[in-house]
Amino acid sequence: MDSIIVRGGSELHGEIPIAGAKNACLTLMPATLLSDEPLTLTNAPRLSDIRTMTELLQSLGAEVTSLQSGQVLAMSSHDLNNHTADYDIVRKMRASILVLGPMLARDGHAVVSLPGGCAIGARPVDLHLRALEALGAELELKDGYVHAKAPGGLKGGTFEFPLVSVGATENALMAATLAKGTTVLKNAAREPEIVDLARCLQKMGAQIEGEGSGTITIQGVDRLHGATHPVVTDRIELGTYMLAPAIAGGSVECLGGRMELVAAFAEKLDAAGVSVEETDRGLKVTRRNGRVDAVDVVTEPFPGFPTDLQAQMMALMCTAAGTSVLEEKIFENRFMHAPELMRMGAQIDVHGGTATVTGVERLKGAPVMATDLRASVSLILAGLAAEGETVVSRVYHLDRGYERVEEKLGACGAHIERVKET
Ligand code: UD1
């Protein structure tokens, strides 16, 4: 397993290109299952999660061709010959459940393995299933698989999500595009990835209104056609690299970054004393002198502060002047980076869903272990600010969501290298 070694203490100066969003791409790819015409995605990120989704779609009979070193994905679901998403693939990545709605909507049947638990909590899929039931799906859980049927096709319906779920909104939205009649999704997720999915589906001929608000209305159509769509910028990668100069000092321009993708997060950076400036190429983040101020954070569905930036923000707060309180409201058990940061000298107290961080003057490099995707990058960020060497092991988590981290940070002056293990 590869490790990443960071030698802290250098300020960062330069620019970092931000890739297309992993989470948007993972829902845009299954949208190909809705049509027998080709769907092409541009600005796709080059990540292992994307390869896993490719493998899953191919196992169903879809063609997925990766062009321009993976930045273009040309897909066609002309000949779907298998409607079972196997446990062996689904267990690697929860987003696999997103093939359920599209397959069911198009062909009236689908079998998808239940994803099981993951490192950041139980993460059930009950809302995905309940939303599909509201569209007339008949579901049976057997041997760890969801067996779904809609013999006469799905029918439009109204479903109010009891809590905001990104994935369940995506599954229901895709399914509703081919359901007969009108579907109304209430308390829907408002994330930019949902808006991006709706834009792509609209290009394919879907009738959707209200994306980006809490109520999405879909008028079902008989069939969807092919389209080409650029994947929206990755707001989590953007936020992560915005934190790099905030933690290490210096100034970095994140190319392709847009304020509306990270407004709540940028507000917190500003409150911490870090400058965020909109340029004609992206967002420029600068920290000049001294320590940042402590700020409190509560994670919430979009447009609130994203849970996927909580670990990275905690890394920044570890060296802030003062005490900050970080409250995790989306996932239980999402503080596994805290004990690793404490190995680097951070002072953190975790009680249930709340972490209290008392900033220290300087972190110290240490061997640490990545426990999940965002936790792993938070340790790299902490390493940039630490004295000495930080060795982050188990970086396969990192490769699920960040392409070329060493190159991107290295180009701005960070001392960072990957050690490959065979
Ligand atoms: C997506 C993102 C993930 C991000 C999360 C929240 C992808 C591939 N992943 O995950 O990076 O951290 O949104 O912004 O896009 N829940 C249920 N039942 C369900 C579904 C969810 O109880 O059927 C709960 C979850 O356990 C969690 C909350 O709802 O507590 C929100 O989860 P959800 O928005 O569904 O997250 P994902 O779509 O899995």
Short mmCIF file of all heavy atoms in Angstrom, two decimals, residues 22-24 26-27 49 93-98 120-130 161 163-170 189 191 193 235-236 300-302 306-309 328-332 334 373-374 400, ligand 1:
data_model
loop_
_atom_site.label_atom_id
_atom_site.label_comp_id
_atom_site.label_asym_id
_atom_site.label_seq_id
_atom_site.Cartn_x
_atom_site.Cartn_y
_atom_site.Cartn_z
N LYS A 22 -16.09 14.31 -8.19
CA LYS A 22 -16.27 12.86 -8.04
C LYS A 22 -17.74 12.53 -7.80
O LYS A 22 -18.31 11.68 -8.48
CB LYS A 22 -15.43 12.36 -6.85
CG LYS A 22 -15.78 10.95 -6.42
CD LYS A 22 -14.96 10.48 -5.24
CE LYS A 22 -15.51 10.85 -3.89
NZ LYS A 22 -16.65 10.02 -3.42
N ASN A 23 -18.35 13.22 -6.84
CA ASN A 23 -19.71 12.84 -6.46
C ASN A 23 -20.72 13.15 -7.56
O ASN A 23 -21.74 12.47 -7.67
CB ASN A 23 -20.12 13.52 -5.15
CG ASN A 23 -19.41 12.89 -3.96
OD1 ASN A 23 -18.77 11.85 -4.10
ND2 ASN A 23 -19.51 13.52 -2.80
N ALA A 24 -20.45 14.16 -8.38
CA ALA A 24 -21.34 14.43 -9.51
C ALA A 24 -21.15 13.34 -10.56
O ALA A 24 -22.10 12.78 -11.09
CB ALA A 24 -21.05 15.81 -10.09
N LEU A 26 -20.19 10.35 -10.20
CA LEU A 26 -20.71 9.05 -9.77
C LEU A 26 -22.23 8.94 -9.92
O LEU A 26 -22.78 7.84 -9.89
CB LEU A 26 -20.32 8.77 -8.31
CG LEU A 26 -18.85 8.43 -8.09
CD1 LEU A 26 -18.56 8.25 -6.61
CD2 LEU A 26 -18.45 7.18 -8.87
N THR A 27 -22.91 10.06 -10.04
CA THR A 27 -24.35 9.98 -10.31
C THR A 27 -24.66 10.22 -11.79
O THR A 27 -25.65 9.72 -12.31
CB THR A 27 -25.16 10.93 -9.38
OG1 THR A 27 -26.54 10.72 -9.62
CG2 THR A 27 -24.85 12.38 -9.60
N ASP A 49 -12.65 5.65 -7.61
CA ASP A 49 -14.11 5.48 -7.51
C ASP A 49 -14.76 5.50 -8.90
O ASP A 49 -15.75 4.82 -9.14
CB ASP A 49 -14.73 6.60 -6.66
CG ASP A 49 -14.82 6.19 -5.18
OD1 ASP A 49 -14.27 5.13 -4.82
OD2 ASP A 49 -15.44 6.94 -4.40
N MET A 93 -18.06 0.44 -2.96
CA MET A 93 -18.47 1.84 -3.09
C MET A 93 -19.98 1.97 -2.97
O MET A 93 -20.73 1.40 -3.76
CB MET A 93 -18.02 2.34 -4.47
CG MET A 93 -18.19 3.79 -4.66
SD MET A 93 -17.64 4.26 -6.29
CE MET A 93 -18.89 3.48 -7.30
N ARG A 94 -20.41 2.74 -1.96
CA ARG A 94 -21.85 2.88 -1.71
C ARG A 94 -22.61 3.49 -2.88
O ARG A 94 -23.78 3.20 -3.09
CB ARG A 94 -22.06 3.80 -0.51
CG ARG A 94 -21.82 3.18 0.81
CD ARG A 94 -22.07 4.21 1.87
NE ARG A 94 -23.33 4.92 1.62
CZ ARG A 94 -24.52 4.45 1.96
NH1 ARG A 94 -24.63 3.31 2.58
NH2 ARG A 94 -25.60 5.15 1.69
N ALA A 95 -21.94 4.37 -3.63
CA ALA A 95 -22.64 5.06 -4.73
C ALA A 95 -23.16 4.07 -5.77
O ALA A 95 -23.96 4.44 -6.63
CB ALA A 95 -21.72 6.09 -5.37
N SER A 96 -22.74 2.81 -5.68
CA SER A 96 -23.24 1.78 -6.60
C SER A 96 -24.75 1.67 -6.56
O SER A 96 -25.39 1.27 -7.54
CB SER A 96 -22.66 0.42 -6.23
OG SER A 96 -21.26 0.47 -6.18
N ILE A 97 -25.35 2.01 -5.43
CA ILE A 97 -26.81 1.92 -5.29
C ILE A 97 -27.51 2.82 -6.32
O ILE A 97 -28.69 2.65 -6.61
CB ILE A 97 -27.23 2.26 -3.83
CG1 ILE A 97 -28.71 1.95 -3.54
CG2 ILE A 97 -26.97 3.71 -3.49
CD1 ILE A 97 -29.00 0.54 -3.25
N LEU A 98 -26.77 3.77 -6.88
CA LEU A 98 -27.37 4.71 -7.84
C LEU A 98 -27.73 4.07 -9.18
O LEU A 98 -28.35 4.71 -10.03
CB LEU A 98 -26.43 5.90 -8.06
CG LEU A 98 -26.24 6.78 -6.81
CD1 LEU A 98 -25.16 7.82 -7.04
CD2 LEU A 98 -27.55 7.46 -6.42
N ILE A 120 -17.69 5.56 8.03
CA ILE A 120 -18.21 6.75 8.70
C ILE A 120 -19.65 6.59 9.20
O ILE A 120 -20.39 7.54 9.31
CB ILE A 120 -18.05 8.04 7.85
CG1 ILE A 120 -18.74 7.91 6.50
CG2 ILE A 120 -16.60 8.40 7.69
CD1 ILE A 120 -18.74 9.22 5.72
N GLY A 121 -20.03 5.37 9.49
CA GLY A 121 -21.34 5.17 10.11
C GLY A 121 -22.17 4.14 9.37
O GLY A 121 -21.72 3.52 8.42
N ALA A 122 -23.39 3.96 9.85
CA ALA A 122 -24.25 2.89 9.32
C ALA A 122 -24.67 3.17 7.87
O ALA A 122 -24.71 2.27 7.05
CB ALA A 122 -25.47 2.75 10.20
N ARG A 123 -24.99 4.40 7.56
CA ARG A 123 -25.37 4.82 6.21
C ARG A 123 -26.35 3.87 5.52
O ARG A 123 -26.01 3.19 4.55
CB ARG A 123 -24.12 5.01 5.34
CG ARG A 123 -23.21 6.08 5.89
CD ARG A 123 -22.02 6.34 5.02
NE ARG A 123 -22.31 7.24 3.92
CZ ARG A 123 -21.40 7.66 3.06
NH1 ARG A 123 -20.16 7.27 3.17
NH2 ARG A 123 -21.72 8.48 2.09
N PRO A 124 -27.58 3.84 6.00
CA PRO A 124 -28.58 2.98 5.36
C PRO A 124 -29.02 3.50 3.99
O PRO A 124 -28.65 4.61 3.61
CB PRO A 124 -29.75 3.02 6.34
CG PRO A 124 -29.59 4.30 7.08
CD PRO A 124 -28.13 4.63 7.10
N VAL A 125 -29.80 2.68 3.27
CA VAL A 125 -30.32 3.12 1.97
C VAL A 125 -31.86 3.12 1.97
O VAL A 125 -32.49 3.11 0.93
CB VAL A 125 -29.79 2.27 0.79
CG1 VAL A 125 -28.31 2.49 0.59
CG2 VAL A 125 -30.11 0.80 0.98
N ASP A 126 -32.44 3.12 3.19
CA ASP A 126 -33.90 3.05 3.28
C ASP A 126 -34.61 4.16 2.51
O ASP A 126 -35.67 3.94 1.92
CB ASP A 126 -34.33 3.07 4.77
CG ASP A 126 -33.79 4.27 5.51
OD1 ASP A 126 -32.61 4.63 5.29
OD2 ASP A 126 -34.52 4.88 6.31
N LEU A 127 -34.03 5.35 2.48
CA LEU A 127 -34.70 6.46 1.79
C LEU A 127 -34.71 6.28 0.28
O LEU A 127 -35.65 6.67 -0.40
CB LEU A 127 -34.04 7.79 2.16
CG LEU A 127 -34.07 8.13 3.66
CD1 LEU A 127 -33.36 9.45 3.93
CD2 LEU A 127 -35.51 8.19 4.15
N HIS A 128 -33.63 5.67 -0.24
CA HIS A 128 -33.61 5.36 -1.68
C HIS A 128 -34.79 4.44 -1.99
O HIS A 128 -35.52 4.64 -2.96
CB HIS A 128 -32.32 4.61 -2.05
CG HIS A 128 -31.06 5.38 -1.84
ND1 HIS A 128 -30.22 5.71 -2.87
CD2 HIS A 128 -30.47 5.86 -0.72
CE1 HIS A 128 -29.17 6.37 -2.39
NE2 HIS A 128 -29.29 6.46 -1.09
N LEU A 129 -34.96 3.43 -1.12
CA LEU A 129 -35.98 2.42 -1.37
C LEU A 129 -37.38 3.00 -1.20
O LEU A 129 -38.27 2.76 -2.03
CB LEU A 129 -35.77 1.21 -0.45
CG LEU A 129 -34.37 0.58 -0.51
CD1 LEU A 129 -34.31 -0.68 0.34
CD2 LEU A 129 -33.97 0.25 -1.96
N ARG A 130 -37.57 3.80 -0.16
CA ARG A 130 -38.91 4.37 0.08
C ARG A 130 -39.32 5.32 -1.04
O ARG A 130 -40.48 5.36 -1.44
CB ARG A 130 -38.94 5.07 1.43
CG ARG A 130 -39.03 4.05 2.59
CD ARG A 130 -38.84 4.69 3.92
NE ARG A 130 -39.80 5.75 4.18
CZ ARG A 130 -39.69 6.61 5.19
NH1 ARG A 130 -38.67 6.52 6.02
NH2 ARG A 130 -40.60 7.53 5.37
N PHE A 161 -38.89 13.51 1.60
CA PHE A 161 -37.79 12.87 2.33
C PHE A 161 -37.84 13.31 3.80
O PHE A 161 -37.89 14.51 4.07
CB PHE A 161 -36.44 13.28 1.72
CG PHE A 161 -36.24 12.73 0.33
CD1 PHE A 161 -36.58 13.47 -0.79
CD2 PHE A 161 -35.74 11.46 0.15
CE1 PHE A 161 -36.42 12.96 -2.07
CE2 PHE A 161 -35.56 10.93 -1.13
CZ PHE A 161 -35.91 11.69 -2.24
N LEU A 163 -35.47 13.11 5.89
CA LEU A 163 -34.24 13.88 6.09
C LEU A 163 -33.57 14.01 4.74
O LEU A 163 -33.82 13.23 3.83
CB LEU A 163 -33.32 13.25 7.14
CG LEU A 163 -32.85 11.81 7.00
CD1 LEU A 163 -31.53 11.75 6.28
CD2 LEU A 163 -32.70 11.22 8.39
N VAL A 164 -32.74 15.04 4.63
CA VAL A 164 -32.15 15.33 3.32
C VAL A 164 -31.11 14.28 2.97
O VAL A 164 -30.18 14.05 3.75
CB VAL A 164 -31.50 16.74 3.32
CG1 VAL A 164 -30.83 17.01 1.97
CG2 VAL A 164 -32.54 17.80 3.62
N SER A 165 -31.28 13.63 1.84
CA SER A 165 -30.29 12.65 1.38
C SER A 165 -29.91 12.94 -0.06
O SER A 165 -30.77 13.00 -0.94
CB SER A 165 -30.86 11.24 1.49
OG SER A 165 -30.09 10.35 0.69
N VAL A 166 -28.63 13.12 -0.28
CA VAL A 166 -28.13 13.42 -1.62
C VAL A 166 -28.39 12.22 -2.54
O VAL A 166 -29.02 12.33 -3.59
CB VAL A 166 -26.61 13.74 -1.57
CG1 VAL A 166 -26.07 13.98 -2.97
CG2 VAL A 166 -26.35 14.95 -0.68
N GLY A 167 -27.91 11.06 -2.11
CA GLY A 167 -28.02 9.86 -2.97
C GLY A 167 -29.46 9.47 -3.24
O GLY A 167 -29.81 9.13 -4.38
N ALA A 168 -30.31 9.53 -2.21
CA ALA A 168 -31.71 9.12 -2.41
C ALA A 168 -32.41 10.09 -3.36
O ALA A 168 -33.23 9.69 -4.18
CB ALA A 168 -32.43 9.04 -1.07
N THR A 169 -32.08 11.38 -3.25
CA THR A 169 -32.66 12.36 -4.18
C THR A 169 -32.22 12.04 -5.61
O THR A 169 -33.02 12.07 -6.54
CB THR A 169 -32.22 13.80 -3.80
OG1 THR A 169 -32.63 14.07 -2.45
CG2 THR A 169 -32.82 14.84 -4.73
N GLU A 170 -30.93 11.69 -5.77
CA GLU A 170 -30.42 11.37 -7.12
C GLU A 170 -31.10 10.14 -7.70
O GLU A 170 -31.53 10.14 -8.87
CB GLU A 170 -28.90 11.16 -7.05
CG GLU A 170 -28.16 12.45 -6.73
CD GLU A 170 -26.70 12.26 -6.31
OE1 GLU A 170 -26.29 11.12 -5.98
OE2 GLU A 170 -25.96 13.25 -6.30
N ALA A 189 -32.52 17.09 -1.71
CA ALA A 189 -31.19 17.68 -1.51
C ALA A 189 -30.98 18.79 -2.55
O ALA A 189 -31.51 18.73 -3.66
CB ALA A 189 -30.13 16.61 -1.65
N GLU A 191 -27.78 20.08 -3.26
CA GLU A 191 -26.35 20.12 -3.58
C GLU A 191 -26.10 20.45 -5.06
O GLU A 191 -26.89 20.05 -5.92
CB GLU A 191 -25.73 18.75 -3.26
CG GLU A 191 -25.17 18.57 -1.86
CD GLU A 191 -26.21 18.60 -0.75
OE1 GLU A 191 -27.42 18.69 -1.04
OE2 GLU A 191 -25.81 18.55 0.43
N GLU A 193 -24.29 18.98 -7.01
CA GLU A 193 -24.23 17.73 -7.78
C GLU A 193 -25.62 17.32 -8.25
O GLU A 193 -25.77 16.70 -9.30
CB GLU A 193 -23.62 16.61 -6.92
CG GLU A 193 -22.14 16.81 -6.57
CD GLU A 193 -21.89 17.85 -5.48
OE1 GLU A 193 -22.80 18.08 -4.65
OE2 GLU A 193 -20.80 18.46 -5.47
N ARG A 235 -16.45 20.74 -5.58
CA ARG A 235 -16.40 21.76 -4.51
C ARG A 235 -15.63 21.24 -3.30
O ARG A 235 -15.11 22.03 -2.51
CB ARG A 235 -17.82 22.22 -4.14
CG ARG A 235 -18.67 21.13 -3.56
CD ARG A 235 -20.15 21.47 -3.60
NE ARG A 235 -20.91 20.28 -3.30
CZ ARG A 235 -21.32 19.93 -2.08
NH1 ARG A 235 -21.09 20.72 -1.05
NH2 ARG A 235 -21.97 18.82 -1.89
N ILE A 236 -15.55 19.92 -3.14
CA ILE A 236 -14.83 19.39 -1.98
C ILE A 236 -13.32 19.42 -2.26
O ILE A 236 -12.53 19.79 -1.39
CB ILE A 236 -15.31 17.97 -1.63
CG1 ILE A 236 -16.84 17.96 -1.45
CG2 ILE A 236 -14.59 17.45 -0.39
CD1 ILE A 236 -17.38 18.90 -0.36
N GLU A 300 -23.92 20.72 7.70
CA GLU A 300 -25.34 20.70 7.31
C GLU A 300 -25.45 20.35 5.84
O GLU A 300 -24.47 20.51 5.10
CB GLU A 300 -25.94 22.12 7.48
CG GLU A 300 -26.22 22.47 8.91
CD GLU A 300 -26.55 23.94 9.08
OE1 GLU A 300 -26.22 24.76 8.19
OE2 GLU A 300 -27.15 24.27 10.10
N PRO A 301 -26.65 19.96 5.39
CA PRO A 301 -26.82 19.79 3.94
C PRO A 301 -26.58 21.13 3.23
O PRO A 301 -26.70 22.19 3.85
CB PRO A 301 -28.30 19.37 3.80
CG PRO A 301 -28.69 18.84 5.13
CD PRO A 301 -27.88 19.60 6.14
N PHE A 302 -26.26 21.08 1.94
CA PHE A 302 -26.04 22.29 1.16
C PHE A 302 -27.28 23.20 1.26
O PHE A 302 -28.39 22.68 1.22
CB PHE A 302 -25.81 21.91 -0.31
CG PHE A 302 -25.29 23.02 -1.16
CD1 PHE A 302 -23.94 23.31 -1.20
CD2 PHE A 302 -26.16 23.82 -1.89
CE1 PHE A 302 -23.45 24.35 -1.97
CE2 PHE A 302 -25.68 24.87 -2.65
CZ PHE A 302 -24.33 25.14 -2.69
N PRO A 306 -20.24 21.79 4.37
CA PRO A 306 -20.29 20.38 4.00
C PRO A 306 -19.57 19.44 4.96
O PRO A 306 -18.45 19.75 5.40
CB PRO A 306 -19.59 20.33 2.63
CG PRO A 306 -18.92 21.64 2.46
CD PRO A 306 -19.43 22.61 3.47
N THR A 307 -20.20 18.32 5.25
CA THR A 307 -19.55 17.30 6.08
C THR A 307 -18.24 16.83 5.45
O THR A 307 -17.29 16.48 6.16
CB THR A 307 -20.49 16.10 6.33
OG1 THR A 307 -19.78 15.07 7.01
CG2 THR A 307 -21.06 15.52 5.04
N ASP A 308 -18.17 16.85 4.13
CA ASP A 308 -16.97 16.37 3.45
C ASP A 308 -15.78 17.33 3.59
O ASP A 308 -14.69 17.04 3.09
CB ASP A 308 -17.26 16.13 1.95
CG ASP A 308 -18.07 14.86 1.74
OD1 ASP A 308 -18.28 14.11 2.70
OD2 ASP A 308 -18.51 14.63 0.59
N LEU A 309 -15.99 18.50 4.23
CA LEU A 309 -14.85 19.39 4.51
C LEU A 309 -14.59 19.51 6.01
O LEU A 309 -13.72 20.29 6.42
CB LEU A 309 -15.10 20.79 3.91
CG LEU A 309 -14.93 20.90 2.39
CD1 LEU A 309 -15.36 22.27 1.89
CD2 LEU A 309 -13.48 20.63 1.96
N GLU A 328 -20.70 17.66 14.03
CA GLU A 328 -20.99 16.85 12.85
C GLU A 328 -22.43 16.38 12.91
O GLU A 328 -22.80 15.59 13.76
CB GLU A 328 -20.03 15.65 12.80
CG GLU A 328 -20.30 14.64 11.70
CD GLU A 328 -20.34 15.23 10.29
OE1 GLU A 328 -19.35 15.83 9.87
OE2 GLU A 328 -21.39 15.08 9.62
N LYS A 329 -23.24 16.89 11.98
CA LYS A 329 -24.68 16.61 12.05
C LYS A 329 -25.13 15.63 10.97
O LYS A 329 -26.29 15.25 10.93
CB LYS A 329 -25.46 17.92 11.82
CG LYS A 329 -25.31 18.91 12.94
CD LYS A 329 -26.60 18.98 13.69
CE LYS A 329 -26.69 20.26 14.48
NZ LYS A 329 -27.72 20.24 15.46
N ILE A 330 -24.25 15.27 10.04
CA ILE A 330 -24.70 14.42 8.94
C ILE A 330 -24.39 12.94 9.21
O ILE A 330 -25.24 12.08 9.02
CB ILE A 330 -24.05 14.84 7.59
CG1 ILE A 330 -24.21 16.34 7.35
CG2 ILE A 330 -24.61 14.02 6.42
CD1 ILE A 330 -25.60 16.81 7.02
N PHE A 331 -23.16 12.66 9.62
CA PHE A 331 -22.78 11.27 9.85
C PHE A 331 -22.31 11.06 11.28
O PHE A 331 -21.57 11.89 11.82
CB PHE A 331 -21.65 10.85 8.90
CG PHE A 331 -22.07 10.82 7.46
CD1 PHE A 331 -21.56 11.72 6.56
CD2 PHE A 331 -22.99 9.88 7.01
CE1 PHE A 331 -21.94 11.70 5.22
CE2 PHE A 331 -23.39 9.85 5.68
CZ PHE A 331 -22.86 10.76 4.79
N GLU A 332 -22.71 9.94 11.86
CA GLU A 332 -22.15 9.57 13.17
C GLU A 332 -20.74 9.05 12.89
O GLU A 332 -20.43 8.69 11.76
CB GLU A 332 -23.04 8.49 13.84
CG GLU A 332 -22.79 7.09 13.33
CD GLU A 332 -23.96 6.47 12.56
OE1 GLU A 332 -24.55 7.17 11.72
OE2 GLU A 332 -24.22 5.31 12.79
N ARG A 334 -17.81 10.35 12.48
CA ARG A 334 -16.97 10.93 11.44
C ARG A 334 -15.86 11.78 12.05
O ARG A 334 -15.51 12.84 11.53
CB ARG A 334 -17.80 11.75 10.45
CG ARG A 334 -17.07 11.82 9.14
CD ARG A 334 -17.76 12.52 8.03
NE ARG A 334 -17.04 12.20 6.79
CZ ARG A 334 -17.37 12.62 5.60
NH1 ARG A 334 -18.41 13.38 5.44
NH2 ARG A 334 -16.66 12.28 4.55
N LEU A 373 -11.65 8.66 3.14
CA LEU A 373 -11.20 9.59 2.10
C LEU A 373 -10.85 11.00 2.62
O LEU A 373 -9.76 11.50 2.42
CB LEU A 373 -12.32 9.64 1.06
CG LEU A 373 -12.30 10.69 -0.01
CD1 LEU A 373 -11.00 10.64 -0.78
CD2 LEU A 373 -13.47 10.43 -0.96
N ARG A 374 -11.81 11.63 3.27
CA ARG A 374 -11.58 13.02 3.69
C ARG A 374 -10.62 13.08 4.88
O ARG A 374 -9.86 14.02 5.03
CB ARG A 374 -12.89 13.72 4.01
CG ARG A 374 -13.94 13.61 2.91
CD ARG A 374 -13.49 14.16 1.56
NE ARG A 374 -14.45 13.81 0.51
CZ ARG A 374 -14.27 14.06 -0.77
NH1 ARG A 374 -13.15 14.63 -1.22
NH2 ARG A 374 -15.17 13.72 -1.66
N ARG A 400 -9.28 7.41 -3.92
CA ARG A 400 -10.68 7.30 -4.33
C ARG A 400 -11.22 8.68 -4.71
O ARG A 400 -12.16 8.77 -5.50
CB ARG A 400 -11.54 6.76 -3.17
CG ARG A 400 -11.24 5.34 -2.80
CD ARG A 400 -12.21 4.88 -1.75
NE ARG A 400 -13.57 5.21 -2.15
CZ ARG A 400 -14.61 5.25 -1.34
NH1 ARG A 400 -14.47 4.95 -0.07
NH2 ARG A 400 -15.81 5.56 -1.78
C1 UD1 B 1 -23.25 11.88 -0.45
C2 UD1 B 1 -21.81 12.02 -0.86
C3 UD1 B 1 -20.92 12.08 0.38
C4 UD1 B 1 -21.39 13.18 1.33
C5 UD1 B 1 -22.88 13.02 1.62
C6 UD1 B 1 -23.44 14.16 2.45
C7 UD1 B 1 -21.73 10.84 -2.97
C8 UD1 B 1 -21.22 9.69 -3.73
N1 UD1 B 1 -21.42 10.89 -1.68
O1 UD1 B 1 -23.37 10.64 0.22
O2 UD1 B 1 -19.58 12.35 -0.04
O3 UD1 B 1 -20.67 13.08 2.53
O4 UD1 B 1 -23.62 12.96 0.39
O5 UD1 B 1 -23.22 15.37 1.83
O6 UD1 B 1 -22.35 11.74 -3.51
N2 UD1 B 1 -29.45 8.35 5.13
C9 UD1 B 1 -30.42 7.51 5.62
N3 UD1 B 1 -31.07 6.71 4.72
C10 UD1 B 1 -30.79 6.71 3.38
C11 UD1 B 1 -29.80 7.57 2.90
C12 UD1 B 1 -29.15 8.39 3.81
O7 UD1 B 1 -30.71 7.48 6.81
O8 UD1 B 1 -31.41 5.95 2.63
C13 UD1 B 1 -28.72 9.25 6.08
C14 UD1 B 1 -27.22 9.00 6.10
O9 UD1 B 1 -26.89 7.94 6.98
C15 UD1 B 1 -26.70 10.34 6.54
C16 UD1 B 1 -27.68 11.33 5.88
O10 UD1 B 1 -28.83 10.57 5.59
O11 UD1 B 1 -26.78 10.46 7.93
C17 UD1 B 1 -27.17 11.98 4.63
O12 UD1 B 1 -26.67 11.01 3.75
P1 UD1 B 1 -26.72 11.18 2.15
O13 UD1 B 1 -26.96 12.61 1.83
O14 UD1 B 1 -27.64 10.17 1.60
O15 UD1 B 1 -25.25 10.79 1.76
P2 UD1 B 1 -24.79 9.99 0.48
O16 UD1 B 1 -25.68 10.29 -0.67
O17 UD1 B 1 -24.55 8.56 0.85
#
